[in-house]
């Protein structure tokens, strides 16, 4: 059931033309306005890419992506509404982080 839901949300994010907020690993966090007046930010924290969204709709799907120094890309689990998500690079530092904001989930 979880895999089906995750696959469905991934397809929804990809097909909706998601809004992405990049953040370089050695720069300050990047803030983007979220849908309907909220905000989201993404920043590196050691081996984690961290994403935070606040003030967005409770049914709004989003995820944080991280590109590791090793070249591997990882993605957090999907979140709905306000919250924090992390993408784990294991023992490799994070080179780049971003937030993908998707559609409202029915």
């Amino acid at each position: 059931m979880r895999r089906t839901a995750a696959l469905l949300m991934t397809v929804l994010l990809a097909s909706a033309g998601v809004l992405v907020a990049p953040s370089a690993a050695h720069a300050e966090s990047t803030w983007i306005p979220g849908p309907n007046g909220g905000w989201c930010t993404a920043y590196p924290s050691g081996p984690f890419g961290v994403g935070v969204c606040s003030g967005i709709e409770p049914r709004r799907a989003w995820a944080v992506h991280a590109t590791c120094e090793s070249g591997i890309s990882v993605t957090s689990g999907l979140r709905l509404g306000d919250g924090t998500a992390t993408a784990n690079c294991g023992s490799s530092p994070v080179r780049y982080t971003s937030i993908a904001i998707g559609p409202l989930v029915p």
Side-chain angles (χ1 to χ4, degrees):
M1 181 72 169
R2 286 184 189 179
R3 288 182 186 173
T4 303
L7 179 60
L8 176 61
M9 289 307 301
T10 302
V11 170
L12 285 172
L13 285 171
S15 67
V18 296
L19 175 63
V20 176
S23 174
H26 302 291
E28 292 184 25
S29 61
T30 299
W31 296 81
I32 62 165
N36 292 336
W39 57 265
C40 294
T41 186
Y43 59 92
S45 180
F48 300 100
V50 181
V52 179
C53 287
S54 181
I56 64 174
E57 298 94 334
R59 296 183 300 125
R60 179 72 61 187
W62 64 276
V64 63
H65 304 284
T67 301
C68 310
E69 284 291 327
S70 63
I72 296 171
S73 293
V74 292
T75 303
S76 71
L78 290 171
R79 297 284 308 194
L80 293 177
D82 296 346
T84 301
T86 58
N88 187 349
C89 283
S91 60
S92 179
V94 173
R95 181 184 326 160
Y96 176 85
T97 60
S98 63
I99 295 275
I101 301 175
L104 287 176
V105 176

